[in-house]
Amino acid sequence: MTHSMRTDTHSPHFGEGGGWRDNATRYALLPLRIFLGVTFIYAGLDKLTDSAFMKDSGAGSIGDMMRAVRDSSAIPALVDLSLKSPVGFGYAIAFGELAVGIGTLLGLLARLAALGGALISLSLWLTVSWASDPYYYGNDLAYLMAWTPFVLAGAPLLSLDAALRSRRRQRSGGYR
């Protein structure tokens, strides 16, 4: 029996054919991208449509939530900054989540959208879910890690970024 090493397991270009393993590899991050995009759009819309959330105080308000986590957060100064204008901070987070979700889902400026998602997740981890014990009960850290592949790789398939890149390549008449 002879053993050899396959050298044809990776297609250098995304547009090429290949076996099911090549396709699975190419599309592996697509479910995560869809999940993150839909989840961040939902989170932003949920905040914008929740009348209790966008208030300085009261049950379920952004103001009360930030005051509740202030002393247990990793960076109390960040919470203090948000408490200068809780409603403004709430709108900033909601519109940021919407922009990140739409950019991620469409694959438009995907690396920038992912960086925004990672920064939102990082700020929420360091403030709201910092006191989670054990640490893995706080979901913001998991979201932060989930954004990392998209910060590094963007959205190379089924995205507006890929379509724009292809269009630029066709216009220049070569490969870029």
Side-chain angles (χ1 to χ4, degrees):
M1 179 192 278
T2 309
H3 295 282
S4 65
M5 190 158 85
R6 280 185 72 181
T7 58
D8 64 340
T9 60
H10 183 296
S11 298
H13 303 288
F14 286 117
E16 291 184 7
W20 70 270
R21 285 184 181 173
D22 290 335
N23 284 330
T25 299
R26 271 188 226 107
Y27 292 96
L29 289 177
L30 191 58
L32 181 59
R33 185 176 128 209
I34 292 168
F35 169 77
L36 289 171
V38 169
T39 299
F40 268 60
I41 289 170
Y42 180 82
L45 290 175
D46 189 44
K47 287 173 181 63
L48 291 172
T49 58
D50 183 352
S51 59
F53 183 78
M54 292 296 182
K55 294 191 176 176
D56 288 337
S57 62
S61 70
I62 181 73
D64 279 3
M65 181 180 68
M66 296 312 290
R67 280 187 283 282
V69 301
R70 193 234 178 252
D71 293 332
S72 63
S73 72
I75 307 176
L78 187 60
V79 178
D80 290 338
L81 182 64
S82 73
L83 285 171
K84 291 182 187 247
S85 177
V87 174
F89 177 73
Y91 277 110
I93 290 291
F95 284 121
E97 287 172 337
L98 271 175
V100 163
I102 291 167
T104 300
L105 204 54
L106 297 177
L108 180 61
L109 302 173
R111 282 191 172 120
L112 182 61
L115 180 61
L119 291 174
I120 290 170
S121 298
L122 176 64
S123 67
L124 292 174
W125 176 55
L126 292 173
T127 55
V128 178
S129 61
W130 182 256
S132 297
D133 186 33
Y135 76 93
Y136 50 82
Y137 280 173
N139 65 351
D140 296 309
L141 180 58
Y143 279 101
L144 174 60
M145 294 299 111
W147 285 113
T148 304
F150 300 104
V151 171
L152 298 173
L157 294 172
L158 301 177
S159 68
L160 290 176
D161 287 348
L164 292 170
R165 193 171 34 257
S166 175
R167 187 172 179 189
R168 279 192 307 265
R169 192 177 301 139
Q170 287 175 349
R171 281 187 177 172
S172 69
Y175 296 97
R176 277 196 177 179

